[in-house]
Amino acid sequence: MATDVSVLARKAPASLTRRLGGTVPAAGPRRDRVVFVVLALIALAFVLLIMGWPTRVPVVTLAPLVLLSGLYLPHRHLVGLYILIGIGVAATIPRLSGTAMAETLMVSAMFALMAMMVIVASSRVRVGSTGFHGENLFVELRDRIARSARLPGLPDGWTAESAVRSANGEGFSGDFMVAELTHNGRHLEVALVDVSGKGKEAGTRSLLLSGALGALLGSLTPGAFLCEANRYLVRQGWEEGFATAVHVDINLDTGDFTVGNAGHPAPVRFSYGTGTWEILEGGRGPVLGIMQGVSFARTEGTLGMGDALMIYSDGIIESRGHDLTEGTDRMLGAASEAMIRRGDSVADAVVSQARSGEADDRAVFVIVRG
């Protein structure tokens, strides 16, 4: 059964806009002019006050007006207002009291503030919002990605945990996870994806992909999941549109599982009988979003009582100046210790030991039977 994820993805931005209530359509030209004239008159009044009573009304009183206009005026009107304010401030310089150094610093600070607000306004134009609504938009994007990663409740005999950490503590991560109970709650499907890039640039792509891939869970056979994800990503035509991913389908009745891998680090399986981790190297295919028409083989296995399966992103094992073998050994060592102690979080232990630290996005998912 094929699902056109492009239709699902196109619906997301509209619903997101409705929920936010914060992205504001461009104001009409007439309203923009009215606001501009009002603010220009207010600015003129302040300039006249400063010129008339320089000791009582300092130049810094213009700062709130500069800040508010930078947040709410359209870009071209903002530049016009700042030109008027700049001319007014320059005209007041001969009447300013105090030392020449103090006067220079005060006026320079005002011009610097105007320059910074022009930069902020340029960024706001790209978002299409006014005031602080652009920040609300990013918060909503971040929260949506976090909600898609929440693990569903599992039946007795199964425990699962996950951890996602963004590079440098940013609010957005290029690593994300989607999880869903399928087949009437008898199967658990999890996809862990690493989108190219970091921070907000990767976060916007993560949002789009998390919504699309989350909709695919349970809508396709496990073998078709990565093929459809790749087809969707190729159609986007992003300059940095590639991603690696691993998809896991686990039968919660029998413990049987299959894993599909698209250029991602190999999953690992813990055997309770031997107390060791096995790297599941088979079935790795190309990364997503590079070429059309590729297929992805799947690795099969079974989780017995006490066994575990773990998937993770490359930030867990990669670090500058160290090879992947060393990173993998560190990860498995930390996971083994946490498994032995049982009370510790395996996911947190694995994320904490990563040599990449805050320099890279890190994500891990672990499921244990018994």
Side-chain angles (χ1 to χ4, degrees):
M1 176 176 60
T3 301
D4 190 349
V5 296
S6 62
V7 175
L8 296 168
R10 284 196 297 269
K11 293 180 179 178
S15 62
L16 178 61
T17 301
R18 286 194 297 270
R19 284 193 56 192
L20 282 172
T23 51
V24 180
R30 182 177 180 181
R31 190 179 73 175
D32 291 345
R33 287 194 294 269
V34 170
V35 173
F36 169 73
V37 170
V38 171
L39 291 177
L41 291 175
I42 294 174
L44 178 61
F46 270 103
V47 169
L48 293 176
L49 288 173
I50 294 170
M51 294 181 66
W53 295 274
T55 58
R56 296 185 179 183
V57 187
V59 173
V60 73
T61 54
L62 284 168
L65 178 64
V66 171
L67 288 172
L68 289 175
S69 58
L71 291 173
Y72 290 96
L73 269 184
H75 188 264
R76 62 189 181 91
H77 291 89
L78 178 67
V79 173
L81 179 65
Y82 283 175
I83 291 175
L84 292 177
I85 293 176
I87 294 173
V89 170
T92 63
I93 292 177
R95 301 184 60 84
L96 293 177
S97 60
T99 64
M101 178 64 71
E103 295 173 3
T104 302
L105 289 176
M106 190 179 301
V107 173
S108 298
M110 188 59 60
F111 280 109
L113 179 60
M114 287 190 286
M116 287 188 292
M117 293 310 299
V118 169
I119 295 173
V120 171
S122 299
S123 175
R124 179 166 49 79
V125 167
R126 294 180 59 191
V127 177
S129 64
T130 60
F132 298 98
H133 297 307
E135 285 73 13
N136 294 339
L137 173 63
F138 283 121
V139 169
E140 178 67 14
L141 297 181
R142 182 194 63 196
D143 292 345
R144 279 184 169 240
I145 296 174
R147 284 195 296 270
S148 69
R150 290 176 183 169
L151 296 173
L154 300 180
D156 293 340
W158 292 93
T159 57
E161 56 179 329
S162 64
V164 179
R165 302 285 188 273
S166 59
N168 303 312
E170 293 193 18
F172 295 88
S173 172
D175 296 351
F176 70 89
M177 190 186 77
V178 290
E180 189 73 37
L181 284 175
T182 59
H183 298 80
N184 296 319
R186 294 172 48 246
H187 284 233
L188 174 67
E189 287 191 52
V190 178
L192 195 154
V193 183
D194 183 357
V195 177
S196 57
K198 296 182 180 67
K200 292 183 177 63
E201 293 79 9
T204 53
R205 294 194 293 268
S206 294
L207 174 75
L208 184 60
L209 281 180
S210 65
L213 300 189
L216 288 181
L217 293 179
S219 300
L220 302 169
T221 62
F225 179 87
L226 290 177
C227 295
E228 182 62 29
N230 178 69
R231 192 163 70 91
Y232 170 72
L233 201 54
V234 169
R235 290 201 305 269
Q236 302 313 302
W238 295 332
E239 291 183 2
E240 296 184 13
F242 68 90
T244 66
V246 60
H247 173 254
V248 177
D249 175 66
I250 304 170
N251 187 322
L252 300 176
D253 292 335
T254 65
D256 295 337
F257 67 86
T258 66
V259 179
N261 193 329
H264 210 75
V268 292
R269 175 185 178 275
F270 179 78
S271 173
Y272 180 75
T274 62
T276 59
W277 291 88
E278 172 193 5
I279 300 176
L280 305 178
E281 291 284 6
R284 183 180 300 186
V287 300
L288 302 177
I290 300 298
M291 63 184 74
Q292 195 66 272
V294 296
S295 59
F296 301 88
R298 297 186 72 86
T299 301
E300 300 180 352
T302 302
L303 295 178
M305 297 300 295
D307 293 351
L309 182 68
M310 181 167 66
I311 56 178
Y312 51 93
S313 64
D314 57 9
I316 298 293
I317 59 174
E318 289 184 355
S319 63
R320 186 173 300 176
H322 300 85
D323 59 31
L324 293 180
T325 300
E326 180 182 348
T328 302
D329 290 342
R330 283 176 58 86
M331 175 192 70
L332 297 182
S336 295
E337 292 180 6
M339 288 291 294
I340 292 172
R341 287 194 291 266
R342 286 291 181 180
D344 293 350
S345 168
V346 178
D348 287 342
V350 168
V351 168
S352 299
Q353 64 75 42
R355 282 190 181 274
S356 62
E358 294 296 318
D360 200 358
D361 299 325
R362 292 145 291 151
V364 62
F365 165 79
V366 184
I367 184 167
V368 182
R369 186 180 188 188

